[in-house]
Amino acid sequence: MSVQTVEVQTRMYLYDLMNAASEHGFKSDDIWELSMVTASGRSKLHKDYFPAVSIKVGPEMLLQVFHATQKGLKQSSYNESQLPTAKNILTDEINYLVAFNLKRPRG
């Protein structure tokens, strides 16, 4: 896995997030929540929130893309104990990063 691949994935995802925020009229206090989930978790978030923007990321890069996206969004660090481990990502088939806004439930 190359650092460049992580950077490219992150840049493309941040671009998609900024476009979605602009398109859906996010205000300055609207923030993206980031979540690493399985395919079923992704479906649930897309069903529960609009907009929800997801990207499929290989398990070997998921944590790095998560942290780089978090940094790109200028968000404070998540509690590491609440994040899945690299082993959990593989065994639980966690392969999506989903951004959503808690203030925008699908209604």
Side-chain angles (χ1 to χ4, degrees):
M1 145 199 53
S2 76
V3 172
Q4 182 182 8
T5 306
V6 171
E7 288 175 8
V8 168
Q9 288 275 332
T10 303
R11 256 187 287 147
M12 289 185 341
Y13 191 51
L14 286 169
Y15 180 80
D16 289 345
L17 292 177
M18 294 306 111
N19 279 345
S22 174
E23 190 176 307
H24 296 284
F26 274 35
K27 296 175 180 63
S28 60
D29 62 338
D30 285 337
I31 59 167
W32 291 108
E33 297 288 328
L34 294 174
S35 188
M36 291 180 279
V37 295
T38 62
S40 63
R42 174 187 168 271
S43 295
K44 179 168 178 19
L45 288 172
H46 276 270
K47 198 179 297 178
D48 293 346
Y49 296 96
F50 185 78
V53 181
S54 59
I55 184 174
K56 187 171 186 174
V57 182
E60 70 284 352
M61 293 190 312
L62 187 59
L63 279 170
Q64 290 174 292
V65 173
F66 173 85
H67 288 297
T69 302
Q70 181 183 17
K71 186 177 180 182
L73 292 172
K74 297 175 178 58
Q75 294 182 349
S76 58
S77 294
Y78 283 63
N79 183 344
E80 289 294 320
S81 66
Q82 295 175 339
L83 297 177
T85 64
K87 182 181 178 187
N88 288 16
I89 287 171
L90 282 171
T91 57
D92 297 343
E93 297 182 5
I94 297 171
N95 51 10
Y96 287 94
L97 180 57
V98 181
F100 58 97
N101 186 311
L102 290 172
K103 293 182 188 177
R104 293 175 178 248
R106 196 179 280 270

